Amino acid sequence: MLTQESRTSLSEIADLNQLKHELNEMPAIDVGDYIAELPPEKRAIAFRLLNKTEATDVFEYLPQEIQEELIGLLHNAQVCQIVESMRPDDRAELFDELPAGIAKRLVQQLSPEERQATATILGYAEGTAGRVMTTEYVRLRQGLTVGEALAKIRLADQDKETIYYAYVTDNNRKLKQVVSLRQLLFSIPDVLIEDIASDRVIKAKTEMPQEEVAQLMKRYDLIAVPVVDREDRLVGIITVDDVVDILEQEATEDIQKLAGVSGGDESSLSHPLEKLRNRLPWLVGVMALYIGASSAIAPFQKTISLVPVLAVIMPLFSNTGGTVGIQALTVTIRSLGVGEVTPADTMKILRRELLAGLGTALALGTTMVLLSLIWTSPETRWVGYVAGLVMAANSVIAVTLGTLLPMGLKRLKLDPALISGPLVTTMLDTIGFILFLTLITISLNILHLPT
Amino acid sequence: MLTQESRTSLSEIADLNQLKHELNEMPAIDVGDYIAELPPEKRAIAFRLLNKTEATDVFEYLPQEIQEELIGLLHNAQVCQIVESMRPDDRAELFDELPAGIAKRLVQQLSPEERQATATILGYAEGTAGRVMTTEYVRLRQGLTVGEALAKIRLADQDKETIYYAYVTDNNRKLKQVVSLRQLLFSIPDVLIEDIASDRVIKAKTEMPQEEVAQLMKRYDLIAVPVVDREDRLVGIITVDDVVDILEQEATEDIQKLAGVSGGDESSLSHPLEKLRNRLPWLVGVMALYIGASSAIAPFQKTISLVPVLAVIMPLFSNTGGTVGIQALTVTIRSLGVGEVTPADTMKILRRELLAGLGTALALGTTMVLLSLIWTSPETRWVGYVAGLVMAANSVIAVTLGTLLPMGLKRLKLDPALISGPLVTTMLDTIGFILFLTLITISLNILHLPT
């Protein structure tokens, strides 16, 4: 593996030939990082030192701004050559993000086959199997022998990951079987492939959401999965390196939505304006919801001025109730996210969450009563008992909401992480405050308990 | 792909032969799910219907309780045969979890080679490359020709994922080169492998944490990575299916720790007692911290009874400040988790977070002042201005804490997710309350503003 130290800086190298040699020896992703960190004026110089195959690989790893920059700086012929030899799925992603004018010009300069491949992929909706698949795969017609199949694979010269499985189709391109390179390699050349290939093909439809494809490949430990259209015709494959990226991206989305960050793929290094755009909506939303909550608290101001210890207690159980809710919400969303459970398990899960919730209610209610001993005088001790009761009730409500809300959304085929953490804590705050203040007011006005 | 409907229930099948045929046609993981859902007394019956190879594969997919149960129910000879043919990494995991007595008995019945493989893996610490690797891989000695190498691979008959790369070692087993099956397949049989193999070997050390191995394989799009010991001798490989599991597990840990769930791998279906054990510590911890916070609020009770609108405003900015902190904390922890940033980037990240934080402060401060117009009378309007100011200050403090805390932990080589969300919100609550109440008290007592 190449370390930071071995990436000699451009200025330190008198001889560009030495840099050229070094760059062409490094893994493409490391060269990409190296070029991305160079000052802009030196990037095109370094990039021109790469040989043809390496240039395309490195280009695919560069951040999109730098890809655009290089497209402007390099000769048109070189750009065309790079774009032509990019993997169709990566090229589709690039075209999708480039300014329309540049993308159009580049599409026109592609060879007819590559143009077709790009159009096919861009024809499917974002986030579906069709959009992340590559059209470079090995397709074998029924009737070939093992020897003929191996000869065809040898000629294909495709990406290294995509040749370990070949897909057998009929005359209408319908997917029939799958055969591994291993099986082909270890069979007698004269045997027909259909006799050694497996009929048990695990496949994805073009419109399948990418996270479902990823879960499918994870479940069956697949290196590649074939993608078919509605007529069951083979149109592409998805490889395991994409699955790793998809799973990470989905986990990042879940984790960020739970925290009230809505973009889904914000990085620490994102632009401050993007951060603001991702985060402010939930913050302002939470504040707006609080208008409702606070309007509900406002009538109780008299109660609060009579029993000011309430102001000491209230933030405590608001924070705790919110945490109980977030815990249940997070575990539920994550279990749905990794495909461990489905909405059909709702009652089974709710039972377990409620049992845990009762334990929590008991522990937190008791702690609340004990804590109140510090803050209340003997006459106002009853406030502590009411607080303990509400704390316990709030815990049970919290686990119920935290479990049922994401399950309900999933059942409606919506994103379970649509209900973010801040929304749940705000709801629980409101419920808890109203419950608490109502009980305290009743105790004061009807039971005439002392203040 | 097999659907739920096609899994006929045991009782519906008159003929066990038909079930036998069906089970041996299904993917192993689906058979595993089917058996796990059967009533306990039927599991061993269904399991005995599987043929030898299928039985081992299915066994590896069963939950650990059911594996133990089956070990007790099946004939000793069948258990030995299954355990003997399990993948060494899966077997090591099983032995690690079995009661010591049973594990010891099973180890003694293994063949010497398999016993050695298990001992090697169990010798490495949990969560390291050595512990998750498999010892089944293709090793080629320097000096072999391509034809000899292919013959050796053909004889190996190993797991399908592990033959797409072969590793070239010298006479001391030191790892020298890597060669893909593709390269071997497309080369002339008489060529020496060292002439076509690559010297650029990306490898992991046995003691490398599993999440670093996963990041390495993700970065370089590898299907397998070789694992070497301190003397650079090849001892195993890690395959991409393990990486997918490791990355999901790490994401689950991060997401759950952020929510204050400490076990790291709780599922919706976990036992209620496990849920309680994972969640109560943080809840009680948060309440305990609140003793400090509330003791800080308590002296201000007089202020609160003078200005009861404070009780309406305080929960609002406590909740909002907490959310701002959690947003920054989550983005930072996730960016560290996926390897996008390192502690070296701290200042660059803090600058961006602070810029976004200033925008947030401006927006939330202004909203706070506007909201106060609803709740305050013209005489107490100043309370709203103070609240707006504290809200703004709290936002800036929140992004700073949310960025610096995980970065600091990472720099100390601790888990950045050690600081959970509930801890950060509690800290921000305390800071915000004290700041707010102090400013209000000063305004009342020194500036003599009206109530």
Side-chain angles (χ1 to χ4, degrees):
Chain A
M1 193 196 150
L2 277 138
T3 57
Q4 197 67 34
E5 299 86 67
S6 69
R7 299 187 203 153
T8 325
S9 111
L10 193 60
S11 57
E12 287 166 10
I13 297 200
D15 188 358
L16 276 181
N17 272 326
Q18 190 191 332
L19 179 62
K20 181 173 180 174
H21 177 76
E22 275 194 33
L23 288 180
N24 285 298
E25 280 297 300
M26 276 158 72
I29 189 168
D30 292 333
V31 179
D33 279 2
Y34 171 80
I35 290 182
E37 281 166 23
L38 283 178
E41 67 279 11
K42 293 190 175 164
R43 285 185 194 134
I45 304 175
F47 194 81
R48 285 201 199 93
L49 296 177
L50 304 174
N51 64 37
K52 269 189 182 183
T53 14
E54 182 87 350
T56 309
D57 289 348
V58 169
F59 189 81
E60 293 184 4
Y61 284 120
L62 288 171
Q64 195 234 328
E65 324 76 270
I66 300 183
Q67 288 181 335
E68 269 188 61
E69 182 195 291
L70 281 178
I71 288 175
L73 289 174
L74 299 174
H75 293 296
N76 189 42
Q78 196 178 2
V79 172
C80 286
Q81 185 260 312
I82 289 170
V83 171
E84 175 79 22
S85 53
M86 276 174 93
R87 287 171 45 161
D89 49 338
D90 290 326
R91 185 172 51 220
E93 212 184 318
L94 172 67
F95 283 2
D96 205 27
E97 285 163 352
L98 276 180
I102 301 179
K104 209 174 157 191
R105 175 169 67 80
L106 290 177
V107 167
Q108 285 164 348
Q109 291 169 333
L110 284 176
S111 66
E113 307 87 66
E114 295 296 328
R115 200 185 309 162
Q116 180 53 43
T118 306
T120 305
I121 293 171
L122 284 174
Y124 295 104
E126 237 177 282
T128 63
R131 193 60 163 274
V132 290
M133 72 188 184
T134 175
T135 50
E136 282 176 349
Y137 53 85
V138 181
R139 185 169 69 91
L140 304 172
R141 258 174 308 101
Q142 283 178 318
L144 288 184
T145 64
V146 167
E148 288 166 336
L150 279 173
K152 189 167 176 201
I153 292 175
R154 258 194 205 99
L155 281 174
D157 187 38
Q158 275 151 340
D159 259 333
K160 61 183 179 307
E161 304 123 338
T162 59
I163 66 151
Y164 294 124
Y165 288 98
Y167 301 96
V168 185
T169 58
D170 67 11
N171 286 332
N172 297 317
R173 257 191 118 89
K174 287 201 187 188
L175 179 59
K176 292 295 175 193
Q177 292 177 306
V178 59
V179 63
S180 70
L181 180 57
R182 181 192 167 86
Q183 284 171 301
L184 289 174
L185 197 58
F186 299 162
S187 299
I188 298 156
D190 294 339
V191 167
L192 284 176
I193 42 169
E194 49 206 278
D195 293 335
I196 60 158
S198 166
D199 301 323
R200 221 161 62 179
V201 187
I202 290 162
K203 60 198 172 188
K205 292 222 186 288
T206 48
E207 68 269 22
M208 195 184 236
Q210 61 176 11
E211 62 269 30
E212 284 180 29
V213 181
Q215 294 297 347
L216 191 71
M217 293 180 67
K218 187 185 76 162
R219 181 174 171 86
Y220 296 103
D221 284 344
L222 301 174
I223 301 183
V225 76
V227 181
V228 294
D229 65 11
R230 283 189 199 154
E231 281 78 43
D232 210 32
R233 285 184 305 236
L234 182 64
V235 289
I237 65 167
I238 296 176
T239 50
V240 71
D241 53 316
D242 295 319
V243 168
V244 170
D245 295 339
I246 292 168
L247 288 175
E248 283 232 327
Q249 193 187 325
E250 295 295 326
T252 301
E253 267 181 37
D254 280 358
I255 205 169
Q256 293 195 350
K257 277 185 191 158
L258 267 168
V261 179
S262 42
D265 58 349
E266 186 180 316
S267 138
S268 274
L269 293 168
S270 296
H271 192 277
L273 278 179
E274 189 193 333
K275 287 175 187 285
L276 214 52
R277 200 170 52 233
N278 289 343
R279 302 183 192 178
L280 257 189
W282 275 114
L283 291 170
V284 174
V286 162
M287 287 185 87
L289 277 173
Y290 251 92
I291 302 178
S294 296
S295 316
I297 303 175
F300 295 103
Q301 288 191 44
K302 187 161 157 272
T303 306
I304 293 166
S305 63
L306 283 173
V307 195
V309 71
L310 296 185
V312 181
I313 291 174
M314 280 169 62
L316 170 51
F317 78 60
S318 121
N319 197 327
T320 317
T323 305
V324 175
I326 293 286
Q327 288 176 332
L329 181 73
T330 302
V331 172
T332 311
I333 286 180
R334 186 66 187 152
S335 286
L336 283 169
V338 300
E340 257 171 9
V341 300
T342 68
D345 302 310
T346 304
M347 289 321 294
K348 192 157 70 176
I349 292 165
L350 188 60
R351 205 162 45 236
R352 292 175 196 214
E353 286 290 341
L354 277 177
L355 277 175
L358 286 175
T360 308
L362 195 68
L364 297 187
T366 312
T367 314
M368 183 76 247
V369 171
L370 292 177
L371 281 181
S372 308
L373 295 181
I374 306 175
W375 296 313
T376 56
S377 54
E379 305 84 63
T380 56
R381 197 118 302 162
W382 62 273
V383 174
Y385 299 129
V386 176
L389 194 71
V390 174
M391 175 75 94
N394 218 20
S395 302
V396 175
I397 297 171
V399 295
T400 311
L401 277 183
T403 309
L404 292 186
L405 282 177
M407 282 295 178
L409 285 171
K410 181 78 184 182
R411 193 177 289 257
L412 297 172
K413 307 231 177 269
L414 295 170
D415 179 1
L418 209 65
I419 300 286
S420 78
L423 185 59
V424 168
T425 50
T426 308
M427 288 166 67
L428 289 169
D429 269 18
T430 314
I431 296 171
F433 286 161
I434 294 177
L435 204 59
F436 186 47
L437 289 170
T438 307
L439 285 179
I440 293 284
T441 310
I442 290 175
S443 310
L444 282 176
N445 297 347
I446 301 178
L447 304 176
H448 302 291
L449 292 177
T451 60
Chain B
M1 196 196 146
L2 277 139
T3 59
Q4 197 67 35
E5 298 88 69
S6 70
R7 299 186 203 155
T8 327
S9 110
L10 193 59
S11 58
E12 289 166 10
I13 298 199
D15 189 355
L16 276 182
N17 274 325
Q18 190 191 330
L19 179 62
K20 183 175 178 169
H21 177 76
E22 274 193 34
L23 288 181
N24 284 298
E25 280 297 300
M26 277 159 70
I29 190 167
D30 291 333
V31 180
D33 279 1
Y34 170 80
I35 290 182
E37 282 165 23
L38 283 178
E41 67 279 10
K42 293 190 175 163
R43 284 184 196 138
I45 304 175
F47 194 82
R48 284 201 199 92
L49 297 176
L50 303 174
N51 64 39
K52 270 189 181 183
T53 14
E54 184 88 349
T56 309
D57 289 349
V58 169
F59 190 81
E60 293 185 1
Y61 285 119
L62 288 171
Q64 195 234 327
E65 321 79 90
I66 300 183
Q67 288 182 336
E68 269 188 60
E69 182 195 291
L70 282 177
I71 288 176
L73 289 172
L74 298 173
H75 293 297
N76 190 40
Q78 197 179 2
V79 172
C80 286
Q81 185 258 313
I82 289 170
V83 171
E84 175 79 23
S85 54
M86 278 176 88
R87 285 170 47 161
D89 49 340
D90 291 326
R91 186 173 49 221
E93 213 183 320
L94 172 68
F95 283 2
D96 203 26
E97 287 163 352
L98 277 179
I102 301 179
K104 209 174 156 190
R105 176 171 64 82
L106 291 176
V107 166
Q108 284 163 350
Q109 291 167 333
L110 283 176
S111 65
E113 307 87 65
E114 295 297 328
R115 198 184 313 161
Q116 180 52 43
T118 308
T120 305
I121 293 171
L122 285 174
Y124 295 105
E126 239 179 281
T128 63
R131 194 59 164 274
V132 291
M133 72 186 185
T134 175
T135 50
E136 282 177 349
Y137 52 86
V138 182
R139 186 170 67 91
L140 304 172
R141 259 176 307 102
Q142 283 178 320
L144 289 183
T145 64
V146 167
E148 289 165 336
L150 279 172
K152 188 168 176 197
I153 291 175
R154 256 190 207 104
L155 280 174
D157 186 39
Q158 275 150 341
D159 260 332
K160 60 183 180 308
E161 305 124 335
T162 58
I163 67 151
Y164 294 124
Y165 288 98
Y167 302 95
V168 185
T169 58
D170 67 11
N171 286 334
N172 298 316
R173 258 190 116 89
K174 288 200 188 192
L175 178 59
K176 292 296 174 190
Q177 292 177 305
V178 60
V179 64
S180 71
L181 180 57
R182 181 192 167 87
Q183 284 171 302
L184 289 173
L185 196 58
F186 299 162
S187 299
I188 298 156
D190 294 338
V191 167
L192 285 175
I193 42 168
E194 47 205 279
D195 293 334
I196 60 159
S198 166
D199 301 324
R200 222 162 60 179
V201 187
I202 291 163
K203 60 198 172 189
K205 293 224 185 287
T206 47
E207 69 267 24
M208 193 184 238
Q210 60 176 13
E211 61 268 31
E212 283 181 30
V213 181
Q215 294 298 346
L216 190 71
M217 292 180 69
K218 189 185 75 166
R219 180 175 172 88
Y220 296 105
D221 284 344
L222 301 174
I223 301 183
V225 75
V227 181
V228 294
D229 66 10
R230 285 193 195 148
E231 281 80 41
D232 210 32
R233 285 183 305 235
L234 182 63
V235 289
I237 65 166
I238 295 175
T239 51
V240 72
D241 53 316
D242 295 318
V243 168
V244 169
D245 296 339
I246 293 168
L247 288 175
E248 283 230 328
Q249 194 189 325
E250 296 293 327
T252 301
E253 267 182 39
D254 279 358
I255 205 168
Q256 293 194 351
K257 277 186 191 156
L258 267 168
V261 178
S262 42
D265 58 350
E266 186 179 317
S267 138
S268 276
L269 294 168
S270 295
H271 193 278
L273 277 180
E274 189 192 333
K275 287 176 188 285
L276 213 53
R277 200 171 50 234
N278 288 342
R279 302 181 192 179
L280 260 188
W282 275 114
L283 291 169
V284 174
V286 162
M287 287 185 85
L289 277 174
Y290 251 91
I291 302 179
S294 296
S295 315
I297 303 175
F300 296 104
Q301 288 190 45
K302 188 163 158 268
T303 306
I304 294 167
S305 64
L306 282 172
V307 196
V309 71
L310 295 185
V312 181
I313 291 175
M314 280 169 60
L316 170 51
F317 79 60
S318 123
N319 198 327
T320 317
T323 306
V324 175
I326 294 286
Q327 289 176 330
L329 181 72
T330 302
V331 171
T332 310
I333 286 179
R334 187 66 187 150
S335 288
L336 283 169
V338 300
E340 258 171 11
V341 299
T342 68
D345 302 310
T346 304
M347 290 321 294
K348 191 157 70 178
I349 292 165
L350 188 61
R351 204 162 45 236
R352 292 176 196 210
E353 285 291 341
L354 276 177
L355 278 174
L358 285 176
T360 308
L362 196 68
L364 296 187
T366 313
T367 315
M368 183 74 247
V369 171
L370 293 176
L371 282 180
S372 306
L373 294 181
I374 307 176
W375 296 314
T376 55
S377 55
E379 306 84 64
T380 56
R381 196 116 304 162
W382 62 272
V383 174
Y385 299 130
V386 176
L389 194 70
V390 173
M391 176 75 93
N394 217 19
S395 302
V396 174
I397 296 171
V399 295
T400 310
L401 276 184
T403 310
L404 292 187
L405 282 177
M407 282 296 179
L409 285 172
K410 181 80 182 178
R411 194 178 288 259
L412 296 172
K413 307 232 178 267
L414 295 169
D415 180 0
L418 208 64
I419 300 287
S420 78
L423 185 60
V424 168
T425 51
T426 309
M427 288 166 68
L428 290 170
D429 270 19
T430 313
I431 296 171
F433 286 161
I434 294 177
L435 205 58
F436 186 46
L437 290 170
T438 306
L439 285 179
I440 294 284
T441 309
I442 290 176
S443 309
L444 283 176
N445 297 346
I446 300 179
L447 304 176
H448 300 291
L449 292 177
T451 60

